Amino acid sequence: MSFDRSIKIAPSILSADFADFGREIQAIEAQGADWVHVDVMDGHFVPNLTFGPPAVAAFRKHVKTVMDVHLMISPVDAYIDAYAQAGADVLTAHVEAGPHIHRTMQAIRAAGMKAGVAVNPGTPIEAIEHILDITDLVCIMTVNPGFGGQKYIDMTAKVRKLRALIGDRPVHIEIDGGMDPTTAPLMAAAGADVFVAGSAVFKGGSVSTPEVYGKNIAAIRAAAQAAL
Ligand code: DX5
Ligand code: ZN
């Protein structure tokens, strides 16, 4: 199958109802989500705590699309197998999380997952230039990780540079933080194909009014596609 560069929307369940994850995941998928983004935080690499492997394994039972797991933890390597067992399709580690990102990417692929690397706003894109041959996805952070609902930090120049570094390699460019119908087109024009959105997808809706999620997802997708 050829590499899919089309626009994909990945709602972050960090903005879902934490007492109702199963139905929230079903609702966003029924309303057009392409991937489901799961934010794992350790209270050390970022100042917030979220989901361990048993929680992620419970989400997996409801995810029919792609489970995209974003690790905001340090160290990473000791947990790779646990998140593989939990059913992650894509596992993303931060380049800032330790000194051996090359080893981490190899270990993620060896555990049978797609390997992603995330890059904080303050980190130059050259930090990941030499691992692109063993990378399936680069996640460009457009907020400082740790919380949903933060203000978008413009990383257009970084994404353009990354697009050029990737060349024709089959590597996804994912954007995470502050994505909405105003900001997503800037990133689409710069070369991104996966758009994580938490607050902009879940705002105004609920499992009893899932059509709001559908409208929100469609609005981000349409704005991003219009920029291509
Ligand atoms: C931030 C997380 C994001 C977050 C995005 O640390 O990695 O995935 O949930 O939330 P919004 O779309 O509200 O910025
Ligand atoms: Zn994330």
Side-chain angles (χ1 to χ4, degrees):
M1 210 181 84
S2 67
F3 181 73
D4 176 14
R5 272 195 210 289
S6 64
I7 301 289
K8 289 167 284 298
I9 309 298
S12 165
I13 60 168
L14 192 61
S15 295
D17 175 356
F18 272 40
D20 209 357
F21 280 119
R23 292 203 298 164
E24 290 278 45
I25 290 167
Q26 290 164 14
I28 52 175
E29 289 196 337
Q31 294 294 328
D34 299 285
W35 293 9
V36 175
H37 186 82
V38 178
D39 286 306
V40 173
M41 306 185 184
D42 68 351
H44 163 74
F45 182 71
V46 290
N48 196 1
L49 276 167
T50 59
F51 316 120
V56 176
F59 304 154
R60 175 76 258 180
K61 298 195 184 102
H62 301 277
V63 176
K64 297 202 183 84
T65 57
V66 170
M67 191 161 74
D68 175 35
V69 177
H70 176 193
L71 297 181
M72 285 158 274
I73 69 173
S74 173
V76 173
D77 293 11
Y79 298 97
I80 290 172
D81 287 341
Y83 285 99
Q85 290 296 317
D89 295 301
V90 182
L91 193 68
T92 296
H94 269 262
V95 65
E96 304 87 1
H100 299 297
I101 189 66
H102 189 283
R103 176 186 294 156
T104 300
M105 301 300 276
Q106 287 179 317
I108 293 172
R109 280 191 168 179
M113 298 171 285
K114 300 274 188 209
V117 61
V119 181
N120 279 336
T123 302
I125 198 63
E126 287 77 7
I128 56 109
E129 181 176 355
H130 300 290
I131 58 163
L132 285 172
D133 284 333
I134 55 166
T135 295
D136 299 296
L137 173 147
V138 180
C139 175
I140 299 294
M141 295 304 304
T142 41
V143 296
N144 287 295
F147 303 93
Q150 301 184 81
K151 192 176 174 322
Y152 167 78
I153 302 167
D154 187 54
M155 289 287 140
T156 314
K158 190 190 273 189
V159 174
R160 274 204 210 95
K161 239 191 222 180
L162 172 62
R163 180 71 265 157
L165 288 173
I166 288 173
D168 53 18
R169 281 179 274 225
V171 179
H172 296 289
I173 301 180
E174 176 178 75
I175 311 296
D176 189 0
M179 286 293 99
D180 63 25
T182 310
T183 53
L186 308 171
M187 292 287 128
D193 63 307
V194 187
F195 299 81
V196 175
S199 37
V201 165
F202 286 92
K203 75 161 192 262
S206 72
V207 293
S208 37
T209 53
E211 64 283 357
V212 177
Y213 299 160
K215 275 188 195 139
N216 291 342
I217 291 169
I220 301 167
R221 190 193 307 282
Q225 278 171 346
L228 296 180

